[in-house]
Amino acid sequence: MTRGRTRWRRRRSWWSGGILRRRGIGWCSIRRRTRGITWALQAAMARLEDEFRHLLARGMSPLAGEDLHASLLRRLSLTVPSFASSASDLDCPSFASHTGDGDESGGAGGRASVSDEEISPYLISPDTVGALRGIADVMLRAGYGPELCQVYGEMRRDTLMECLAVLGVDKMSLEEVQRVEWGVLDGKMKKWIQALKVVVRGLLAEERRICNQIFAADAEAEEDCFTEAAKGCILQLLNFGDAIAIGKRSSEKLFRILGMYEALDEVLPELEGLFSGDARDFIKEEAVGILMRLGDAVRGTVAEFANAIQGETSRRALPGGEIHPLTRYVMNYVRLLADYSRSLNQLLEDWDTELENGGDNVNMTPLGQCVLILITHLQAKIEEKSKLYEDEALQNIFLMNNLLYIVQKVKDSELKTLLGDNWIRQRRGQIRRYSTGYLRSSWTRVLACLRDDGLPQTMGSSSALKASLKERFKNFNLAFEELYKTQTTWKVVDPQLREELKISISEKVLPAYRSFVGRFRGQLEGGRNSARYIKYNPEDLENQVSDFFEGRRPNA
């Protein structure tokens, strides 16, 4: 933090110094040159200076209305990101406090373009620029370039700073940026990303063109005036970017930081090209330093996110074995990482990717390796949370629900490209093993009631066989009804998986029940209370199985 304050002081020093001081002219007061110049010439130059100031002020009048923001954007031939929400599922109260509009990506949304017919190609009218050039030519020939540059620098700097405020980038100290709550900071980061492109490609590019026209007679004056006009808004943008880069890391900031990193990386060559000499060297050094620190913040935030997954400690078992909020949060978070694959493959190139996973990460991109680590951490945490359920069958339902959600998020996004088809096949095999585990733990006892093992031989005592059959049917009915009561409240979220499990149950239970009833119905029919034991026909059981895994409320 101390180094951050030092950098801000350095930028303030550059801001308050300036071209005019380099020429030996005070910033607060410009002394008139000299004794050899007549009072009449001084008076004439003073009047021209006032007129120059007046024209600069009047030339910006169209941007002073109520709809300044819309007017400004219409004047700039730009395509500006609209930042549509793309992460509405990024919400896991027990894992991270994510607020705001849900766009962690900071750039995965659509783009809103401005029609060429609506764009005015200037910030000062051409007539005004022509008048300003005429005054500048006279003052420059008379040796009044420094006075001219002071007026231009002050007026245009204030105008550009006003435009920056309209774009939503307020002047904030390092401490203010660090203290602001996340919901507010999120909005400011979003506006910064938009404003940076508007400022560099629109405002400053236009300002450079204006300077070129007004000060065509003196290239040095052009450079000086542009630098004095532009450096205020550039420093304000850089200071905010630096404050974010060195700020406290938390998982919800990652996509905004990535958006800032990509925006600065994208416009850096154009920003550097706007300046020359010492000003260009200074701006480049500052911007490159901030870009590196934003990259460090990205890597640190990803590591923080991985640690947060491993450290998640909620102990509440979800009713019915549904998808855990942690699974939803992590997978939607990870899915958004793929939108920044170009930047993240660069930034994560040296990230720690060692995993004991049998070599799954061989030949993966840096982002693919990172995603694999995060999902592996999530799977381990889900395995751990499955132990919160005492019922082994429900453990398997919970694991199926969560792993299938993970697989679907991978399969239906760019994550499939990162992890590959083999990864998906392996996880689908794991889901089948969970399904087998569920069937074994739930239905083994039920099916045991429908086997011949242990029944008295038919040639023996008929009464003993009937008693055994009554016990078998009674136990089957109790076991099936208990499963029905319990497992109709469980929830298998995916409709296809839900139907596949019901089919698997029917294929195991119905043939065994139909065979058992067919062979032994005659032993009980006609006897007293036989309907108490053979309560169901196969169609009844099939109808009841269709109610399983629907997440019904108990006693509903």
Side-chain angles (χ1 to χ4, degrees), residues 74 153 182 191 234 290-291 482 500 543:
R74 281 197 303 271
W182 164 240
K191 289 177 179 177
I234 287 297
I290 292 168
L291 194 63
E482 179 61 31
E500 288 174 357
N543 289 335

Side-chain angles (χ1 to χ4, degrees), residues 15-45:
W15 186 342
S16 61
I19 304 301
L20 300 180
R21 178 173 297 173
R22 237 183 13 249
R23 294 184 174 189
I25 297 179
W27 190 235
C28 299
S29 64
I30 305 283
R31 296 185 180 278
R32 298 293 183 201
R33 305 183 205 276
T34 235
R35 300 175 181 180
I37 300 178
T38 66
W39 178 88
L41 179 58
Q42 293 179 22
M45 292 298 105

Side-chain angles (χ1 to χ4, degrees), residues 13 172 333 354 397 438 459 470 472 495:
S13 173
M172 300 176 69
Y333 195 98
E354 292 183 5
I397 294 294
Y438 157 76
M459 296 301 294
K470 287 179 181 180
R472 290 289 183 91

